[in-house]
């Protein structure tokens, strides 16, 4: 029995010696000691270019893909589109500015209006002036018409009570009105005479003098009778307001 136990101990020692020898030979072959297979496996499983800890592959810097998987072009392709978009507001502002300038109202005067002078039977001894905006922009009729009959050296006074609450504004195609009291109905005024021509001057915003081109509406062939009682109303937006004086 003692001999059997001793044999088993010797066999176990021999086996252990064989294992240690094998391990020693492996370490000598690679020159670095025991290989860490787990570390090698983790290194080869990582995706090249992936951000650490992101768990996803970053989008390619040169190609974009939509949700359906269809390429939408390169990043370089996208730059001109962005540049064009950035210029669009400027172009829009330029267009808007040009449109705004064209819409700015101007002063009504002879070159952008048509003036008609029509004698009236009611009220008697009156002449109605109608000014129509023939231009493409809104215009303002300031103050009252400065009228000259024939070779008159001065313009008649304005009826102050006829002043409207606001400046007469004419959109293209619209008309403004003023009436002219030609003579006294009872013949009491002096210096009566017949005039065959009429010139109408337009006032500016300052109401100091005339602006632009004057109008020369035709009078009836027989002319109109005027005297020292001659006077005019302010420009009116409504014809009836002009005729009420």
């Amino acid at each position: 029995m003692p001999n059997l136990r001793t044999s088993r101990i010797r066999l176990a020692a021999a086996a252990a010696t064989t294992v240690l020898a094998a391990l020693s030979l492996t370490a000598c072959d690679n020159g670095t000691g025991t290989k860490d297979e787990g570390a090698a496996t983790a290194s080869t499983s990582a995706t090249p270019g992936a951000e650490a800890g992101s768990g996803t592959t970053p989008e390619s810097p040169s190609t974009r893909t939509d949700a359906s998987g269809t390429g939408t072009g390169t990043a370089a392709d996208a730059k001109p589109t962005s540049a064009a978009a950035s210029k669009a507001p400027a172009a829009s502002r330029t267009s808007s500015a040009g449109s705004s300038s064209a819409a700015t109202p101007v002063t009504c005067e002879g070159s952008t209006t048509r003036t008609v002078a029509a004698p009236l039977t009611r009220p008697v001894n009156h002449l109605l002036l109608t000014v129509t905006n023939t231009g493409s922009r809104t215009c303002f009729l300031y103050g009252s018409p400065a009228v000259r009959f024939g070779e008159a050296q001065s313009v008649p006074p304005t009826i102050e009570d006829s002043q409207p609450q606001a400046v007469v504004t004419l959109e293209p195609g619209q008309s403004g009105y003023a009436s002219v009291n030609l003579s006294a109905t009872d013949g009491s005024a002096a210096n009566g005479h017949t005039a065959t021509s009429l010139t109408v001057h337009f006032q500016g915003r300052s109401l100091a003098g005339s602006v632009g081109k004057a109008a020369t509406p035709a009078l009836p062939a027989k002319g109109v009778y005027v005297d020292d009682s001659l006077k005019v109303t302010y420009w009116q937006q409504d014809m009836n307001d002009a005729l009420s004086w």
Side-chain angles (χ1 to χ4, degrees):
M1 293 297 292
N3 291 334
L4 181 58
R5 184 180 297 112
T6 299
S7 298
R8 289 178 177 176
I9 291 173
R10 288 177 178 174
L11 288 174
T17 299
T18 301
V19 172
L20 290 174
L23 290 174
S24 177
L25 287 174
T26 302
C28 290
D29 288 341
N30 59 26
T32 59
T34 305
K35 294 173 64 177
D36 186 350
E37 297 295 338
T41 302
S43 175
T44 56
S45 64
T47 303
E51 294 181 2
S54 66
T56 59
T57 303
E59 183 181 46
S60 168
S62 61
T63 304
R64 297 181 180 179
T65 305
D66 59 20
S68 64
T70 303
T72 59
T74 63
D77 292 338
K79 291 182 180 179
T81 302
S82 299
S86 66
K87 294 180 181 179
S92 177
R93 286 194 297 271
T94 301
S95 176
S96 177
S99 176
S100 176
S101 176
T104 302
V106 296
T107 300
C108 298
E109 44 95 7
S111 65
T112 57
T113 59
R114 181 180 69 255
T115 302
V116 175
L120 301 174
T121 56
R122 290 187 181 183
V124 296
N125 300 347
H126 276 63
L127 188 73
L128 177 67
L129 296 178
T130 302
V131 174
T132 302
N133 183 358
T134 58
S136 59
R137 301 164 70 174
T138 298
C139 71
F140 295 133
L141 271 176
Y142 292 107
S144 58
V147 299
R148 292 182 185 274
F149 287 91
E151 301 299 323
Q153 299 300 307
S154 61
V155 297
T158 301
I159 302 172
E160 290 300 326
D161 289 343
S162 67
Q163 185 173 3
Q165 294 183 349
V167 174
V168 175
T169 303
L170 303 182
E171 299 289 342
Q174 289 186 332
S175 299
Y177 310 90
S179 65
V180 183
N181 294 6
L182 297 171
S183 59
T185 57
D186 58 4
S188 60
N191 298 316
H193 65 282
T194 298
T196 57
S197 64
L198 170 64
T199 303
V200 179
H201 297 272
F202 297 87
Q203 292 183 311
R205 183 174 182 179
S206 67
L207 304 183
S210 60
V211 297
K213 182 180 179 181
T216 55
L219 294 176
K222 64 180 182 179
V224 294
Y225 184 81
V226 298
D227 60 25
D228 287 349
S229 66
L230 182 67
K231 52 187 177 290
V232 299
T233 68
Y234 281 92
W235 291 113
Q236 307 292 330
Q237 198 81 50
D238 184 87
M239 182 191 302
N240 291 329
D241 291 335
L243 295 179
S244 64
W245 301 95

